[in-house]
Amino acid sequence: MNIWLLAASGLTFLTTAAHVFGGGSEIHVPILESNAEAIPKAAVSVIWHWVTAVLLLNGAAYFMAARGHQAALASLPLINLQFAAFGLLFLFYGITRFGSIFVIGQWLFFLAIVTCGYLGQRSQTATVLGQ
C-alpha cells in the first residue's frame, strides 16, 4: 500500500466533507436564498455538486492507486494537475479579489493533496522501475 496515495485519498475525502458540510451552508445555500435568477441558481447548484462528484471520484482514484490499481495509477498525473489547478484558482482569486491568500484558504488543502499525490506517484513509479 502506497502511504502517500492513501494520505492523498484521505485528504481528498476530508476536503469533500468540508466542501459539503462547511461550504454548503456558507456558500451554496446563501446563493440559493439570494434574489438571483433561477438559471444562475441552477448553474451554481450544478457546479457545486460537480465539484462534490470530482472530489469523491478523485478520492476514490487515489485510494485505488494506493492499492496498486493500474488504471488509477495511470490517472495520477491528470488528477494531480487538476488539484494543482484548483489550488492555483483559489490563490489567484484570493490575491486578486481580497489581497490575501488566506481569505479563501482552500488552496492549502489542494497543496497538501497534490504534494501527497505527487510523492505517491513518484514512489510508485520508482517501485515499478525497480529503483
Side-chain angles (χ1 to χ4, degrees), residues 77-112:
L78 183 60
I79 294 171
N80 290 335
L81 285 172
Q82 183 181 65
F83 280 161
F86 286 176
L88 289 172
L89 286 167
F90 277 105
L91 278 171
F92 174 79
Y93 283 103
I95 292 167
T96 60
R97 300 255 172 114
F98 303 106
S100 171
I101 61 172
F102 298 110
V103 174
I104 50 175
Q106 288 90 331
W107 64 271
L108 290 165
F109 282 98
F110 292 113
L111 174 64

Side-chain angles (χ1 to χ4, degrees), residues 12 17 21-22 38 51 58 60 65 72 76 89 93 96-98 100 103 105 114 117 121 126-128 131:
T12 301
F21 298 111
V51 169
N58 286 350
L76 289 177
L89 286 167
Y93 283 103
T96 60
R97 300 255 172 114
F98 303 106
S100 171
V103 174
V114 167
Q121 178 185 338
T127 301
V128 169
Q131 298 175 341

Side-chain angles (χ1 to χ4, degrees), residues 14 30-31 35 56 65 67-68 97:
L14 179 65
I31 292 171
N35 292 329
L56 285 172
R67 296 182 49 119
R97 300 255 172 114

